[in-house]
Amino acid sequence: MEKSTFEQMGGTYRHEGDYLLPNLTVPESAPVGIWGQRRKRYLREHRGPLYTALLLGGKLNAHIVEIDQQAQDMLSRLIEQMAKQEGITELLKEKNQMEWVRRMNGVRNRAEEIIFNEYIYH
């Protein structure tokens, strides 16, 4: 006995009038931080074919979660390394808080530029 087309398709379906529609669900995804959101926006606005391929292949969420995590890890490392290289210490923070903030903002801005070029815009 041959299976009907309905049974051969697999999955679950529902009748909507004369149509048989699949019961689709959106897969759960991990929360995405600012770097993942920026990467997703960049792909959507500037790299349409890649964005579409990732989206249709079901790989977009995994991609942006991975980029977000890698970018955040690299940002932390870069800030720590740059601050150490430039002699920005806790002692400076205690003695001259405004100077410490000014220099750390500079370090953070440079580190973020590196992240944009390495992870977001590539």
Side-chain angles (χ1 to χ4, degrees):
M1 182 173 179
E2 227 177 285
K3 288 185 175 181
S4 69
T5 305
F6 178 72
E7 292 171 334
Q8 291 174 346
M9 289 189 288
T12 60
Y13 294 82
R14 68 183 184 283
H15 284 281
E16 293 283 336
D18 292 337
Y19 300 99
L20 190 58
L21 301 176
N23 294 323
L24 301 175
T25 59
V26 177
E28 294 278 330
S29 65
V32 177
I34 190 71
W35 297 109
Q37 293 171 20
R38 288 174 176 168
R39 174 68 174 165
K40 184 177 180 181
R41 183 177 336 118
Y42 172 76
L43 290 174
R44 187 176 56 243
E45 293 174 3
H46 302 283
R47 304 278 304 274
L50 177 57
Y51 175 82
T52 302
L54 289 169
L55 181 64
L56 294 177
K59 297 177 182 177
L60 180 63
N61 285 335
H63 174 74
I64 62 174
V65 166
E66 181 181 352
I67 291 293
D68 185 68
Q69 185 61 52
Q70 290 175 358
Q72 188 58 47
D73 291 346
M74 181 175 240
L75 180 67
S76 299
R77 282 193 312 274
L78 284 172
I79 289 173
E80 184 180 324
Q81 291 170 356
M82 292 170 139
K84 187 176 180 179
Q85 283 178 336
E86 295 182 22
I88 304 171
T89 63
E90 289 298 312
L91 183 59
L92 176 61
K93 187 177 179 180
E94 289 174 19
K95 289 186 175 186
N96 190 344
Q97 204 171 36
M98 291 305 289
E99 177 67 12
W100 182 87
V101 167
R102 183 185 68 75
R103 292 175 67 186
M104 284 302 289
N105 282 341
V107 164
R108 182 173 189 82
N109 289 338
R110 288 192 312 273
E112 286 180 352
E113 275 302 311
I114 292 169
I115 299 299
F116 274 112
N117 290 320
E118 295 290 323
Y119 289 99
I120 307 305
Y121 301 145
H122 93 282

